[in-house]
Amino acid sequence: MTKVLAIDGPSGAGKGTVAREVARALNWTYVDTGAMYRAVAWKARHEAIQINDEDRVAAVADAAVFELDFDRVVINGYDVTRLIRTPDMDVAAATVARMPSVRRLLVARQRDYAAAGPVVMEGRDIGTVVFPDATVKLYLDATPEERASRRAKDPTHGFSRAGEIGVVASALAIRDRLDRTRQASPLTRADDAILIETTGVPARDVVARVLGIVRERLGDETPTDGRR
Ligand code: DC
């Protein structure tokens, strides 16, 4: 198998920033799997499908053509980069992420990315389900207060207007509960995942630490030379 850096953890733990920066530094492909669930939810809505109609949502996932890169999310030709980061899509994505058939389809796509070259993949079940044999598994976490405060300040997340930490915190708590208690691949830390607590730690320090871990794991191999 090619090299995989699996990064899991709850919303607002800093996975996105860290995964992107690390992928750039290593010249590995970056895959945000949450964006895939979000894009499927958006497409289902766009087709006026009831968001809890599992068969029809799974058909959307099956027919999905994704184009993902560092800062763009496209599904079947629709650029949904901004459209999928709204409080409404937070809920819709969490709903479709509970569906076993949707998960099966998207996990297969996620595995395909790694067949093409080394990847940094972030999500909730990357180290537990998608790549149980990942090269390195990380679990990023932060206190609920810190995670809510990051989300409230995140301009890409549609909360800047509301900006109230209380509102964001309760939405985050609901979503956390959905992610941790669902039957299909709930958010949980793999036994062999390295726990990284990011509360109060600047992103660049987390990135440096993660790069150190990956380089140590790869030993003599020089991961900066890209895809091999
Ligand atoms: O990371 P995110 O907030 O963009 O994820 C959107 C939703 O999808 C969220 O409810 C968690 C879920 N998800 C998942 O179940 N499994 C993944 N690998 C990634 C995200």
Side-chain angles (χ1 to χ4, degrees):
M1 196 183 77
T2 41
K3 299 172 192 91
V4 175
L5 169 58
I7 306 185
D8 291 305
S11 314
K15 300 187 299 293
T17 311
V18 171
R20 261 193 204 86
E21 289 304 311
V22 168
R24 281 192 214 279
L26 296 173
N27 194 24
W28 290 11
T29 298
Y30 162 68
V31 181
D32 172 4
T33 61
M36 298 171 77
Y37 290 96
R38 287 173 181 274
V40 166
W42 179 87
K43 185 82 181 349
R45 274 277 166 75
H46 185 71
E47 291 178 15
I49 291 169
Q50 289 286 338
I51 208 66
N52 45 19
D53 183 338
E54 179 162 355
D55 289 347
R56 296 192 67 197
V57 174
V60 169
D62 199 22
V65 178
F66 295 103
E67 294 164 61
L68 305 174
D69 64 28
F70 282 95
D71 41 32
R72 233 166 56 102
V73 181
V74 175
I75 182 165
N76 298 77
Y78 295 95
D79 186 334
V80 295
T81 311
R82 286 175 191 284
L83 302 174
I84 58 172
R85 311 271 170 208
T86 64
D88 181 43
M89 280 299 132
D90 286 350
V91 177
T95 305
V96 310
R98 294 176 79 85
M99 300 172 170
S101 55
V102 172
R103 300 201 70 88
R104 242 185 336 269
L105 288 159
L106 295 191
V107 166
R109 305 295 189 91
Q110 290 154 14
R111 289 183 179 142
D112 288 345
Y113 282 109
V119 293
V120 176
M121 195 171 286
E122 59 153 306
R124 304 292 189 287
D125 61 340
I126 312 306
T128 51
V129 174
V130 187
F131 294 111
D133 298 323
T135 319
V136 177
K137 297 183 192 180
L138 306 176
Y139 188 94
L140 264 57
D141 210 348
T143 60
E145 296 75 22
E146 171 101 2
R147 296 192 291 111
S149 135
R150 282 183 196 152
R151 264 298 142 89
K153 289 182 202 145
D154 181 354
T156 66
H157 220 85
F159 279 121
S160 47
R161 222 171 355 102
E164 296 155 28
I165 293 199
V167 175
V168 178
S170 49
L172 210 65
I174 291 168
R175 219 146 63 84
D176 276 359
R177 201 168 54 241
L178 284 173
D179 290 343
R180 289 181 210 273
T181 60
R182 65 172 177 235
Q183 238 164 1
S185 312
L187 169 65
T188 164
R189 181 184 154 198
D191 290 340
D192 52 350
I194 299 166
L195 175 65
I196 299 193
E197 170 56 60
T198 67
T199 307
V201 186
R204 64 172 183 284
D205 293 357
V206 180
V207 170
R209 185 170 163 207
V210 170
L211 284 171
I213 293 169
V214 174
R215 290 185 169 131
E216 194 183 310
R217 187 68 56 91
L218 293 177
D220 290 339
E221 301 173 60
T222 39
T224 46
D225 66 356
R227 357 198 129 261
R228 42 181 203 125

